[in-house]
RNA sequence: GCGGUCGUGGUCUAGUGGUUAUGAUUUCGGCCUUCCACGCCGAAUACCCGGGUUCGAAUCCCGGCGACCGCACCA
């Protein structure tokens, strides 16, 4: 059996404790994965890296942490509820039809608020058929995107959020007043979201519960071309797929889109992006990605086509990563104008505008939204190194900043003197805040292999010479080369 | 959701109605050993779940669950 790269990476991940199916001993549940001990470490490192760059290093970004379960009026206002509980039916040929609109159009009967069963009864009664091919329609199902439940004694309807963003809009006024924030400012959130995908696919790339790292940048609509990050990011080079390039390719019924290379500065000048803020946000992402081990040529920004974006969008740019099964969205960058705040103003009857020089201003929003799980998969796939002639085992060339541990400490031989020295070094490293593990079992080559397989960048070996001159070797994961250092210096050398 | 392929120790795998269910590797214990899974000995661990057919099912049938691929879906 030939395994796809996806299956290979998933198998290694399973074996090495990176991730595994949720509730696996009960057969699992499609679209749900747990991170194991190694995966959790990598995930935490990724999240920390993100937080450091986009929150801690910015004095105008505040991080919040919202609940995943929210009452239904939130999603009525946001539009998720209407958009995602369309009752549909399928015919025997597989055409899916929205039955509420069908009933209203054909029979002039209002379908609003009817249950699936009631709609099905109407279809049966009036013998409605598939509008495409005329075949009979099967049972009516609501393909709801959101997981719903009921809360408390009153059984109030609530849903698991399909994106982290809503909490930020809901708490917008609180954050702004509490932090005395002036436009522009950002509110960040790292959390989980839920979408009841019809068919999850490709391991952790399309799952039903997933992690997101999002920022809503709130910007005065008059200052969209006045981004404080511009100076730092103007020269960052971006790879764009324009709408024109997509149209051109689609005419030839190809999905092989041509891309163009532009700096942040040029992208603004040539109006490839709607405003300076958007360009800077994209540039910021490219800079962040330089630390993740994904080659630059595997990253592009695709301008979403009009039919892919909602009416209120001022331009969406997906950061896509090339994976073994094609280009995949990993970050959605959406210029949402004032849509979200306006919707919640209407829905809640609360004023979410800001007073700026005596004028009521509803900020515009640009939202970069990172999918944590697919980003981790992309990192794993791009840093995965299969067995070859030089190395008889698979390994991950994960950047040091993301690797699960800084180093592994190994006594070369099974001798008390060596083990004692090694475990002393191990304790010292831990005291110095290094993430290290200790491994004394099996022959040395096997232990190097074990460390490589989870991407540990350095292996420190205590050998008989260590007893004589207080030195030890450091093996580099990427080259296999060893260098000898004073043991007292090793914790300093290992510091990232 | 539809269709195709598939489901055996942690991993990979042999096994087309009756086997102590194959082998490798991993893991663990022991020995050996001055550095890249490739020295030796030993041990542990498996037929996805539920029904059915049959004297007897890992094997055949039905249903479910899960994986991969294609279509559809992915505001």
């Amino acid at each position: 059996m030939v395994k796809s790269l996806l299956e290979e990476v998933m198998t290694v991940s399973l074996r090495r404790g990176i991730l595994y199916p949720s509730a696996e001993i009960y057969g699992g549940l499609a679209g749900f994965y747990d991170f194991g001990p190694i995966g959790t470490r990598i995930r935490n490192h990724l999240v920390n890296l993100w937080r450091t760059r986009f929150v801690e290093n910015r004095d105008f970004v505040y991080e919040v942490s919202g609940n995943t379960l929210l009452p239904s009026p939130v999603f009525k206002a946001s539009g998720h509820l209407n958009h995602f509980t369309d009752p549909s039916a399928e015919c025997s040929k597989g055409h899916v039809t929205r039955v509420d609109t069908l009933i209203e159009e054909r029979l002039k009967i209002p379908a609003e608020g009817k249950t699936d069963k009631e709609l099905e009864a109407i279809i049966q009664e009036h013998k409605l058929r598939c509008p495409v091919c005329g075949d009979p329609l099967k049972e009516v199902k609501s393909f709801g995107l959101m997981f719903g439940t009921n809360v408390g004694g009153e059984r109030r309807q609530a849903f698991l959020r399909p994106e982290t963003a809503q909490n930020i809009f809901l708490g917008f006024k609180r954050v702004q007043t509490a932090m005395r924030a002036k436009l522009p400012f950002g509110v960040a959130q790292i959390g989980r979201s839920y979408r009841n995908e019809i068919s999850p696919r490709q391991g952790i790339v399309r799952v039903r519960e997933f992690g997101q790292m999002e920022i809503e940048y709130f910007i005065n609509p008059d200052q969209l071309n006045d981004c404080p990050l511009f100076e730092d990011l103007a020269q960052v080079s971006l790879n764009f797929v324009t709408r024109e390039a997509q149209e051109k390719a689609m005419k030839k019924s190809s999905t092989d889109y041509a891309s163009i290379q532009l700096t942040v500065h040029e992208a603004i000048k040539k109006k490839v992006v709607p405003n300076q803020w958007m360009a800077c946000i994209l540039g910021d992402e490219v800079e962040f990605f330089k630390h993740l081990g994904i080659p630059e040529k595997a990253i592009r920004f695709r301008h979403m086509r009009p039919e892919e974006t909602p009416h209120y969008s001022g331009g969406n740019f997906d950061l896509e990563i090339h994976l073994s099964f094609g280009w995949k969205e990993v970050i959605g960058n959406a210029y949402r104008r004032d849509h979200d705040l306006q919707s919640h103003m209407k829905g809640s009857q609360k004023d979410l505008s800001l007073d700026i020089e005596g004028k009521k201003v509803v900020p515009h929003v640009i939202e970069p939204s990172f999918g944590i799980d697919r980003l981790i998969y992309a990192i794993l796939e791009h840093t995965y190194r299969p067995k070859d002639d030089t190395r008889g085992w698979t390994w991950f060339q994960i950047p040091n900043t993301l690797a699960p541990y800084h180093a592994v400490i190994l006594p070369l031989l099974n001798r008390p003197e060596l083990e004692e020295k090694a475990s002393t070094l191990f304790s010292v490293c831990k005291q110095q805040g290094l993430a290290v593990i200790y491994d004394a079992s099996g022959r040395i080559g096997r232990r190097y292999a074990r460390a490589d397989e989870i991407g540990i960048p350095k292996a420190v070996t205590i050998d008989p010479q260590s007893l004589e001159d207080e030195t030890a070797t450091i093996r580099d994961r990427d080259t296999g080369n060893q260098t000898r250092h004073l043991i007292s210096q090793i914790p300093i050398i290992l510091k990232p």
Side-chain angles (χ1 to χ4, degrees), chain A residues 439-471:
Chain A
D439 188 357
S441 114
R443 297 174 83 81
I444 193 71
R446 178 169 301 176
R447 285 180 274 158
Y448 288 146
R450 274 200 288 252
D452 280 359
E453 249 190 336
I454 55 171
I456 301 177
K458 305 284 182 203
V460 179
T461 308
I462 301 290
D463 59 11
Q465 194 183 326
S466 308
L467 301 174
E468 291 161 22
D469 62 5
E470 292 294 321
T471 63

Side-chain angles (χ1 to χ4, degrees), chain A residues 144-162:
Chain A
L145 170 90
M146 292 190 292
F147 292 99
T149 187
N150 299 292
V151 177
E154 317 84 48
R155 316 302 295 164
R156 278 189 71 189
Q157 196 179 27
F159 295 93
L160 288 170
R161 62 186 180 189

Side-chain angles (χ1 to χ4, degrees), chain A residues 384-396:
Chain A
Y384 178 71
R385 304 288 174 261
K387 284 184 204 192
D388 62 15
D389 298 340
T390 59
R391 216 177 289 213
W393 55 89
T394 66
W395 55 295
F396 286 105

Side-chain angles (χ1 to χ4, degrees), chain A residues 7 17 63 87 93 147 201 242 291 306 340-341 377 405 415 427 429:
Chain A
E7 288 171 288
E63 183 181 349
K93 290 201 177 70
F147 292 99
R201 282 290 158 92
T242 60
H291 303 103
D340 304 281
L341 290 177
Y377 178 76
Y405 300 97
R415 280 199 225 150
S427 311
C429 285

Side-chain angles (χ1 to χ4, degrees), chain A residues 415-436:
Chain A
R415 280 199 225 150
E417 322 86 87
L418 294 182
E419 294 202 32
E420 200 192 315
K421 205 167 246 327
S423 62
T424 305
L425 176 60
F426 174 66
S427 311
V428 171
C429 285
K430 285 208 95 135
Q431 278 163 21
Q432 308 247 344
L434 289 163
V436 288

Side-chain angles (χ1 to χ4, degrees), chain A residues 17-20 33-40 43 192 204 372-373 376:
Chain A
I18 294 173
L19 51 92
Y20 42 82
Y33 285 87
D34 284 10
F35 282 91
I38 302 303
T40 298
R43 189 181 192 277
R192 287 174 184 272
I204 53 169
I372 298 177
D373 308 79
I376 288 174

Side-chain angles (χ1 to χ4, degrees), chain A residues 267-368:
Chain A
I268 299 160
K269 228 167 62 187
K270 296 191 174 169
K271 297 195 188 308
V272 172
V273 289
N275 52 56
Q276 193 195 58
W277 259 96
M278 177 61 93
C280 291
I281 286 168
L282 305 186
D284 214 8
E285 289 166 7
V286 167
E287 286 297 296
F288 178 68
F289 266 60
K290 287 181 178 164
H291 303 103
L292 305 185
I294 298 169
E296 248 173 89
K297 63 176 192 303
I299 300 167
R300 71 181 188 190
F301 289 102
R302 188 164 70 81
H303 192 179
M304 298 281 96
R305 284 175 260 115
E307 68 269 24
E308 295 177 298
T309 43
H311 65 275
Y312 52 80
S313 169
N316 286 22
F317 292 82
D318 277 5
L319 183 149
E320 297 184 326
I321 299 183
H322 187 70
L323 297 170
S324 55
F325 42 85
W327 290 91
K328 204 81 204 171
E329 175 199 353
V330 171
I331 307 175
N333 294 289
Y335 174 29
R336 304 175 63 91
R337 297 204 159 98
D338 62 355
H339 172 79
D340 304 281
L341 290 177
Q342 292 285 9
S343 301
H344 285 302
M345 280 169 72
K346 220 171 286 164
S348 67
Q349 297 295 305
K350 301 282 188 320
D351 184 11
L352 301 178
S353 65
L354 302 179
D355 194 294
I356 295 175
E357 290 162 7
K359 220 173 80 185
K360 277 193 182 301
V361 174
V362 178
H364 277 206
V365 166
I366 303 182
E367 169 197 273

